[in-house]
């Protein structure tokens, strides 16, 4: 009977040691997962910020391109006016000479 009791005690000690080891491993895993969650949360916030910034930059680019097209149209019209004025000046100056 005592031998059986001793075996049970040894077995219980062994089980307790294994349980402590498993608890330690689980705690390490929990800590690791908490750290990963923190990193993921920060990364998620950064992605959201970049998405908003990208949308703002796309809008600014669209406005800039629109202004460029407007400036190119105005430039073309001014070049036409200059060419017409040069013809007029040339025609006015020709009979004088």
């Amino acid at each position: 009977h005592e031998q059986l009791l001793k075996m049970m005690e040894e077995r219980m000690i062994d089980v307790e040691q294994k349980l402590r080891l498993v608890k330690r491993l689980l705690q390490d895993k929990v800590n690791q997962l908490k750290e990963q969650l923190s990193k993921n949360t920060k990364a998620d916030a950064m992605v959201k910020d970049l998405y908003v910034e990208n949308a703002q930059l796309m809008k600014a680019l669209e406005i800039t391109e629109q202004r460029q097209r407007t400036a190119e149209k105005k430039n073309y019209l001014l070049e036409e006016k200059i060419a017409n004025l040069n013809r007029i000046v040339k025609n006015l100056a020709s009979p004088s000479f």
Side-chain angles (χ1 to χ4, degrees):
H1 185 68
E2 285 186 29
Q3 188 178 4
L4 181 63
L5 186 61
K6 188 174 179 179
M7 283 177 44
M8 292 295 284
E9 286 176 359
E10 288 175 358
R11 193 166 170 210
M12 193 189 304
I13 290 171
D14 187 46
V15 168
E16 286 175 348
Q17 288 175 347
K18 288 179 181 177
L19 181 61
R20 278 193 290 276
L21 178 63
V22 168
K23 281 183 178 180
R24 224 174 325 154
L25 290 172
L26 284 174
Q27 188 59 49
D28 289 346
K29 196 63 168 172
V30 166
N31 292 339
Q32 183 182 10
L33 291 173
K34 283 181 181 179
E35 186 178 325
Q36 187 64 45
L37 177 63
S38 175
K39 288 179 182 178
N40 288 350
T41 302
K42 289 176 186 176
D44 186 50
M46 289 176 82
V47 167
K48 286 178 184 176
D49 290 345
L50 288 172
Y51 182 81
V52 169
E53 184 179 353
N54 187 53
Q56 292 169 343
L57 289 171
M58 290 297 289
K59 184 65 178 171
L61 177 61
E62 184 181 320
I63 291 169
T64 301
E65 288 174 341
Q66 185 177 2
R67 287 179 182 165
Q68 180 183 356
R69 286 190 296 273
T70 302
E72 287 173 350
K73 286 179 186 176
K74 287 180 181 179
N75 188 39
Y76 177 76
L77 292 174
L78 286 174
E79 287 176 358
E80 281 186 349
K81 287 180 182 180
I82 289 170
N84 288 334
L85 286 173
N86 282 337
R87 264 187 249 115
I88 292 170
V89 169
K90 197 177 201 181
N91 288 341
L92 290 174
S94 291
S96 308
F97 292 114

